[in-house]
């Protein structure tokens, strides 16, 4: 619940365990601000409202403990200079190789990694620039699955993904979200349509909440956003 934030006003909502919640809205509507609040990139004062996770106020949980429970997958995947293995095991170097490979197999990324000259020991340039966009995204998905987060935050890629990986990305996304508590800044129609709940944002407020079909009937802003997606 938030009463007054620089980008959020009079907002209250609940995300249940195992739900995929999609956030949709025009640029500047407040989607990224919400993610920053949940990850404590921005702090809120008690008088401004509260965010609870499993009943605990978010500012009473250490940042390390909080972030250990969350996996974040960004539009531009966060990859660092190091091997593919090191990138997937990020912050958990003790992870057994078997666990890492199980994660990549789950989302069908194992094959393309194995076909690289040095496999999992392939060295990535900063931001993984020696891989394609689709390959980078699959590695970031593999990291998220390997860490088995209690909460997944996903800012879906809008960049053009090489056609070879488009279907792999789509199926990996479905696997990643299945049965997991997830908050998605959703760009892909398929993700929006399948979400358990969709929050329609406008100027720092949630103006409509519902499923895809409910919002098509009841939300003019959602209908307009959906029409733009279809025409694009």
């Amino acid at each position: 619940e938030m009463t007054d934030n620089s980008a959020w006003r009079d907002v209250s909502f609940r995300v249940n365990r195992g739900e995929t919640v999609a956030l949709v809205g025009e640029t500047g509507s407040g989607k990224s601000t919400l993610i920053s609040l949940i990850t404590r990139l921005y702090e809120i004062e008690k008088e401004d409202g509260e965010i609870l996770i499993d009943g605990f106020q978010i500012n009473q949980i250490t940042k390390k403990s909080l972030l250990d429970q969350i996996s974040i997958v960004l539009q531009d995947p966060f990859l660092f200079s190091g091997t593919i293995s090191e990138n997937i095991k990020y912050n958990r170097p003790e992870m057994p190789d078997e666990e890492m490979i199980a994660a990549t197999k789950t989302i069908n990324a194992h094959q393309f990694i194995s076909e690289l000259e040095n496999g999992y020991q392939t060295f990535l340039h900063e931001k993984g620039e020696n891989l394609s966009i689709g390959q980078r995204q699959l590695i970031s998905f593999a990291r998220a699955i390997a860490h088995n987060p209690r909460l997944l935050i996903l800012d879906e890629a809008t960049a053009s993904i090489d056609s070879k990986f488009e279907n792999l990305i789509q199926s990996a996304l479905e696997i990643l979200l299945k049965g997991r508590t997830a908050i998605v800044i959703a760009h892909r129609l398929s993700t929006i349509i399948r979400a358990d709940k969709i929050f329609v944002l406008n100027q720092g407020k949630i103006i409509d909440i519902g499923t895809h079909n409910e919002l098509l009937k009841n939300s003019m802003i959602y209908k307009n956003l959906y029409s733009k997606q279809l025409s694009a």
Side-chain angles (χ1 to χ4, degrees):
E1 298 184 5
M2 276 168 266
T3 54
D4 186 19
N5 184 272
S6 58
W8 282 76
R9 296 177 305 281
D10 303 320
V11 168
S12 182
F13 65 89
R14 178 188 180 97
V15 178
N16 297 315
R17 189 187 303 269
E19 278 187 332
T20 293
V21 169
L23 309 178
V24 299
E26 299 283 6
T27 301
S29 60
K31 302 185 297 295
S32 296
T33 300
L34 175 59
I35 301 307
S36 296
L37 288 166
I38 291 172
T39 55
R40 289 184 62 189
L41 186 63
Y42 300 160
E43 299 282 12
I44 54 172
E45 300 299 326
K46 189 167 179 62
E47 61 270 18
D48 289 335
E50 61 183 5
I51 300 171
L52 303 177
I53 296 184
D54 285 346
F56 294 98
Q57 290 193 13
I58 199 168
N59 56 6
Q60 294 179 343
I61 306 167
T62 66
K63 283 189 179 181
K64 182 182 186 309
S65 177
L66 176 69
L67 296 176
D68 280 349
Q69 308 297 320
I70 299 175
S71 278
I72 304 170
V73 179
L74 302 173
Q75 278 193 49
D76 186 10
F78 166 64
L79 299 176
F80 54 85
S81 298
T83 65
I84 289 177
S85 173
E86 288 168 339
N87 271 273
I88 295 174
K89 293 182 180 184
Y90 177 68
N91 273 354
R92 274 190 61 201
E94 77 285 354
M95 182 188 296
D97 286 351
E98 295 78 12
E99 194 174 329
M100 172 186 68
I101 292 169
T104 61
K105 285 183 174 178
T106 298
I107 58 165
N108 297 312
H110 176 68
Q111 182 175 346
F112 97 78
I113 295 172
S114 300
E115 289 172 355
L116 297 172
E117 185 175 355
N118 294 309
Y120 286 86
Q121 298 310 309
T122 299
F123 192 85
L124 302 185
H125 301 163
E126 188 174 353
K127 296 185 178 180
E129 289 175 354
N130 50 326
L131 296 180
S132 72
I133 294 171
Q135 289 171 325
R136 282 180 249 161
Q137 198 66 276
L138 283 174
I139 288 174
S140 69
F141 285 3
R143 176 198 290 149
I145 283 204
H147 288 256
N148 194 26
R150 297 182 68 188
L151 174 64
L152 174 69
I153 294 175
L154 174 64
D155 190 353
E156 281 189 302
T158 53
S160 173
I161 292 171
D162 27 321
S163 57
K164 179 181 177 183
F165 287 94
E166 179 66 37
N167 290 336
L168 271 181
I169 293 289
Q170 191 57 53
S171 61
L173 187 56
E174 290 175 22
I175 292 164
L176 192 62
L177 293 173
K178 189 173 182 179
R180 200 179 299 278
T181 308
I183 298 176
V184 184
I185 296 178
H187 304 287
R188 290 166 180 263
L189 279 172
S190 56
T191 307
I192 298 170
I193 290 168
R194 292 186 180 126
D196 297 297
K197 278 192 295 214
I198 301 165
F199 294 167
V200 183
L201 277 68
N202 187 45
Q203 296 183 344
K205 291 189 176 184
I206 296 175
I207 56 168
D208 290 304
I209 299 176
T211 64
H212 169 70
N213 288 331
E214 289 167 349
L215 292 172
L216 278 182
K217 291 177 186 174
N218 304 319
S219 172
M220 184 60 68
I221 286 186
Y222 182 77
K223 279 189 277 189
N224 290 339
L225 286 168
Y226 182 66
S227 297
K228 283 183 186 178
Q229 283 267 347
L230 282 177
S231 61

